[in-house]
Amino acid sequence: MKIALIAHDEKKDDLLRFIDKHLVFFRNQELYATGTTGGRIIEHTGLDLHRCKSGPLGGDQEIGAMVANRAIDCIIFFRDPLTAQPHEPDVSALLRLSDVYDVPLATNEGTAEAILYHLSHKDRR
C-alpha cells in the first residue's frame, strides 16, 4: 500500500507515537510524507519514505496530485482542529480530493486505527 503521512505541528508527536505502535505494519508499506513530518518520522523510526515539500510550501498539494493520479491508497493526516493553519485551502483541497477519488483518509487516531485494522485484515478474507 502507498500511504501518505501528514501531521500539523501540534500533532506530530501523536503521529510518531501512532507509527511506533504500528511499526511492523508501516515497515511493509510504501510511505510518503510532507517535509517536516517526514523528517521527524525518519529521525524517530528509521523508516524509509518519500518526502514531499512541507505542507505550507506545497506538500499537501503534492500529495493531492498523487491522489488525483491514483498513486496514493490511503492518507493518515493528524490535523490540529484547534489551531488556524495558514495553508488551510490546501488542506481543504486534499480532503476534497480524497472524497472525489474515494481514498480513505484518517484525520485522527481513532479513524487511523480503523483504517489500519481494515488494511491488516483485508487479505485474510
Side-chain angles (χ1 to χ4, degrees):
M1 299 285 307
K2 295 178 181 178
I3 300 175
L5 301 166
I6 308 168
H8 284 149
D9 289 344
E10 295 300 317
K11 297 291 184 174
K12 288 188 191 327
D13 289 339
D14 294 340
L15 180 60
L16 292 175
R17 280 191 293 277
F18 180 79
I19 292 169
D20 276 342
K21 185 176 174 182
H22 300 282
L23 197 53
V24 172
F25 173 84
F26 284 111
R27 280 192 180 129
N28 296 309
Q29 311 308 318
E30 187 171 344
L31 304 175
Y32 296 81
T34 49
T36 307
T37 300
R40 294 273 312 270
I41 292 168
I42 292 167
E43 179 181 306
H44 185 80
T45 67
L47 287 170
D48 186 33
L49 58 79
H50 307 277
R51 282 176 72 185
C52 299
K53 296 183 184 323
S54 71
L57 298 178
D60 298 327
Q61 290 183 343
E62 281 185 83
I63 302 254
M66 287 187 271
V67 168
N69 288 305
R70 301 195 184 273
I72 291 289
D73 300 307
C74 169
I75 303 167
I76 297 174
F77 186 171
F78 280 20
R79 298 177 65 212
D80 178 6
L82 302 177
T83 304
Q85 302 296 325
H87 62 295
E88 190 61 37
D90 297 339
V91 172
S92 295
L94 179 59
L95 299 177
R96 186 176 57 255
L97 285 167
S98 75
D99 288 340
V100 168
Y101 291 96
D102 203 24
V103 172
L105 182 140
T107 60
N108 58 59
E109 187 170 352
T111 54
E113 287 284 355
I115 288 173
L116 260 57
Y117 179 83
H118 173 75
L119 294 175
S120 296
H121 292 82
K122 186 175 174 181
D123 294 332
R124 296 182 190 166
R125 291 186 210 172

